Amino acid sequence: MEISYIGEYLKNNHIITDKQLKRALETQKKGLEVGRRVRLGQLLVDMGYCTEEQVARALAHISGVPFISLNDLSIDKNAVGLLSAELAAQYQALPIRFNGQYLQVAMLNPSDVIAVDDLRILTGYDIEPVVIADSDLKAAIHNLSLSEVKGESNGRDEDYENIKSTAYSFLYGNSSMDVVDYDDMDIKQDMGSEKPAVQLANQIFVQAVHASASDIHIEPQEKDMRVRFRIDGVMQEAMRQPKEIHPSLVSRLKVMGNMDIAERRIPQDGRMSIKVDDKIIDVRVASLPTAYGEKLTMRLLERNSKLITLEELGFPKNQLGHYRDIIAFPYGFILVTGPTGSGKSTTLYSTLVELNSEDRNIITIEDPIERRLEGLNQIQVNTRAGMTFASGLRSILRSDPDIIMVGEIRDEETARIAVESALTGHLVLSTLHTNDAAGAVTRLNDMGIEPYLTASSLVGVVAQRLVRVLCPLCKSSYTLTRHEILNSVPDFPMGDDEDSINLYKPKGCLHCNYTGYKGRMGIFEVLRMTDEIEHLILNRGSAFEIKDRAIGCGMVPLRQDGLDKVRRGITSLEECLRVIV
């Protein structure tokens, strides 16, 4: 049923215009000419002309079957268990519940009578086709495939020798994974022709990339092996596998990372680049000997992902203006602070993109280079070759830079060179591990930088954290009285005339993998240098005194920015308090 019936129905019901339909059909035709088949309904959604639900309701009306929203019902596990993930992906269909003597099956094409007949034979039930949103169907099959890999689906014993890629072919197209750095390795996700360790390594990478994981943890346990992903800053178990495959899997990944497979007693570091579908992913690998074998941690960095703008990072409006005032200085020292994984590098990259122009020479020294930016001169730290932050920074100064970005201030030597560079007419940006903005000043003092150098060079400090954003499709509201909220969070921002407040909490749905959260956002505090703060620095004022003075000059503290995002329904109170004390 493709096909233009969907478009005609949407047009006749004034959901899309005739011009939009023609444009979509032209795009679809061009895709077919190069061998790329895209369903018209999906194309209309991708072009922003309508929603998935509108397309699904149109398909249901044309096919004469019910439309069901999975957010309004729970899937019956007994029904789902009648079909494996492989068959569900093959038929693009998933049993969701029983309706009397019928089995309701969500189908991508409910008019496929051959598929309906096959499903009746496979399940032993008469089939009642229904339509759900495409993303709901994909997410449901994805969750089924994950549960099978974990061995949780109706007791089916899925081991590593039977890992299948059919579900991924439906969910993500013809998913493939290549190692792109080495000529002698060309790995495709052909699960039938590779060894089990190769199959499992490929699936782990494909699954991690599609789940938008930032890290992969492969951990040997006493009786099995656990694989966990860090998604939106939180660890989530992806699968468990027999312990027997752990040594061969580790060897496979160490070979890919150009590491010594014979050495298992000491930690090692490696790196590789892989290609999953059309994405090139840089992978940093770290091995660590543990009681039950080597633990591998892999950091995934997408090379060509869209860079977030300063507006999208989450700066409060007035604080973004203050930050732009800081980076507009022709020279000076700017620090971005926070713990590991708080998004400091992303903020610096977004800043460099905004500052990048033909009349500026921008040079960076990083460990590692996380994003390759057009127009910048980026240097990779190589300690074995003697290229450290300090030595690299000295070399940069002989290359006539206007703006310098140092990946991290780790020692006194690097800090001193950076400060002196700022004093000699360069704009220097870097990161530092401190809990708040004011703490950066005292940290520089602890490193041995004289207060008069800090006061003269520093023009601003940004402290930040990352909080998970509530899933917009399933977040639920609740009400707290003034007494309840102020009793637990005394500094919560409430007006004097407010007796209660509506907040939001996570619920969980298919789109957020039942976590209640989807994506992350930054919370910030921006400290601008003023005459009073310079005076405090020169007199070795404490971090508390500097912070108090900065708040008096208009700085919004991290905690207040976080609580403001809670009040606006962006994140939950529990998530904010998890990240900020």
Side-chain angles (χ1 to χ4, degrees), residues 175-292:
S175 293
S176 63
M177 195 212 57
D178 303 328
V179 175
V180 298
D181 272 356
Y182 304 103
D183 294 334
D184 59 339
M185 294 184 191
D186 184 18
I187 303 171
K188 294 287 184 183
Q189 180 135 333
D190 179 5
M191 293 301 182
S193 61
E194 299 286 1
K195 295 180 180 179
V198 176
Q199 297 176 19
L200 184 56
N202 289 359
Q203 181 175 352
I204 288 172
F205 279 124
V206 171
Q207 187 174 320
V209 171
H210 290 150
S212 300
S214 61
D215 300 86
I216 301 171
H217 293 254
I218 296 175
E219 303 165 321
Q221 306 293 303
E222 182 178 5
K223 297 180 180 179
D224 59 9
M225 179 189 73
R226 179 174 64 176
V227 179
R228 293 193 291 173
F229 298 157
R230 187 176 293 279
I231 302 173
D232 291 339
V234 177
M235 296 284 279
Q236 298 181 22
E237 184 173 308
M239 66 179 76
R240 285 183 179 265
Q241 293 292 330
K243 190 170 183 179
E244 290 74 21
I245 198 174
H246 175 260
S248 55
L249 176 64
V250 169
S251 296
R252 168 64 179 169
L253 294 170
K254 288 172 76 173
V255 167
M256 293 169 67
N258 199 25
M259 300 160 69
D260 184 358
I261 63 173
E263 181 56 74
R264 302 176 181 176
R265 299 166 298 176
I266 61 175
Q268 295 186 64
D269 294 315
R271 62 186 68 235
M272 70 183 94
S273 292
I274 61 174
K275 185 176 181 182
V276 177
D277 299 335
D278 295 325
K279 299 177 181 178
I280 297 179
I281 311 293
D282 294 322
V283 184
R284 283 187 292 164
V285 188
S287 69
L288 187 68
T290 68
Y292 298 113

Side-chain angles (χ1 to χ4, degrees), residues 247-488:
S248 55
L249 176 64
V250 169
S251 296
R252 168 64 179 169
L253 294 170
K254 288 172 76 173
V255 167
M256 293 169 67
N258 199 25
M259 300 160 69
D260 184 358
I261 63 173
E263 181 56 74
R264 302 176 181 176
R265 299 166 298 176
I266 61 175
Q268 295 186 64
D269 294 315
R271 62 186 68 235
M272 70 183 94
S273 292
I274 61 174
K275 185 176 181 182
V276 177
D277 299 335
D278 295 325
K279 299 177 181 178
I280 297 179
I281 311 293
D282 294 322
V283 184
R284 283 187 292 164
V285 188
S287 69
L288 187 68
T290 68
Y292 298 113
E294 285 185 285
K295 168 185 167 67
L296 291 187
T297 303
M298 293 178 284
R299 169 65 57 90
L300 308 181
L301 302 167
E302 186 176 345
R303 186 177 295 180
N304 299 317
S305 60
K306 177 183 176 293
L307 194 64
I308 300 174
T309 64
L310 288 177
E311 286 83 2
E312 295 170 332
L313 287 174
F315 277 99
K317 288 184 179 180
N318 61 330
Q319 299 297 296
L320 179 58
H322 294 164
Y323 183 60
R324 283 205 162 106
D325 291 341
I326 292 171
I327 64 177
F329 275 78
Y331 57 85
F333 192 24
I334 300 173
L335 282 169
V336 180
T337 72
T340 300
S342 59
K344 301 185 297 296
S345 296
T346 300
T347 299
L348 285 182
Y349 281 130
S350 300
T351 303
L352 291 177
V353 168
E354 186 151 316
L355 294 174
N356 191 18
S357 62
E358 289 187 2
D359 60 345
R360 286 174 171 151
N361 179 20
I362 302 177
I363 306 179
T364 75
I365 180 164
E366 309 169 55
D367 184 24
I369 297 174
E370 297 187 11
R371 293 177 184 267
R372 291 166 171 80
L373 302 180
E374 185 70 26
L376 271 62
N377 305 285
Q378 296 174 272
I379 303 170
Q380 170 68 53
V381 166
N382 188 339
T383 53
R384 292 182 181 177
M387 176 65 79
T388 62
F389 279 118
S391 63
L393 192 48
R394 288 196 192 92
S395 301
I396 288 172
L397 292 173
R398 296 192 290 270
S399 299
D400 187 31
D402 295 300
I403 299 173
I404 302 170
M405 194 269 272
V406 183
E408 184 181 342
I409 301 293
R410 295 178 177 173
D411 51 51
E412 179 185 352
E413 185 181 12
T414 306
R416 187 170 295 279
I417 299 171
V419 167
E420 292 173 353
S421 302
L423 290 172
T424 54
H426 305 92
L427 184 64
V428 182
L429 297 88
S430 190
T431 68
L432 200 61
H433 290 281
T434 62
N435 290 328
D436 57 13
V441 175
T442 55
R443 179 63 57 84
L444 290 174
N445 290 342
D446 294 340
M447 284 183 169
I449 305 302
E450 292 80 1
Y452 72 89
L453 290 177
T454 301
S456 302
S457 62
L458 199 63
V459 295
V461 184
V462 176
Q464 68 179 81
R465 299 288 190 278
L466 290 176
V467 293
R468 291 180 293 171
V469 176
L470 286 165
C471 175
L473 298 179
C474 67
K475 64 180 182 181
S476 60
S477 64
Y478 64 102
T479 302
L480 289 177
T481 65
R482 182 184 186 86
H483 174 75
E484 288 172 332
I485 187 66
L486 295 182
N487 188 50
S488 56

Side-chain angles (χ1 to χ4, degrees), residues 15-29:
I15 296 171
I16 63 173
T17 65
D18 184 60
K19 185 177 180 180
Q20 289 173 334
L21 176 58
K22 289 179 179 178
R23 190 175 300 165
L25 288 170
E26 289 173 2
T27 303
Q28 185 186 45
K29 183 179 179 181

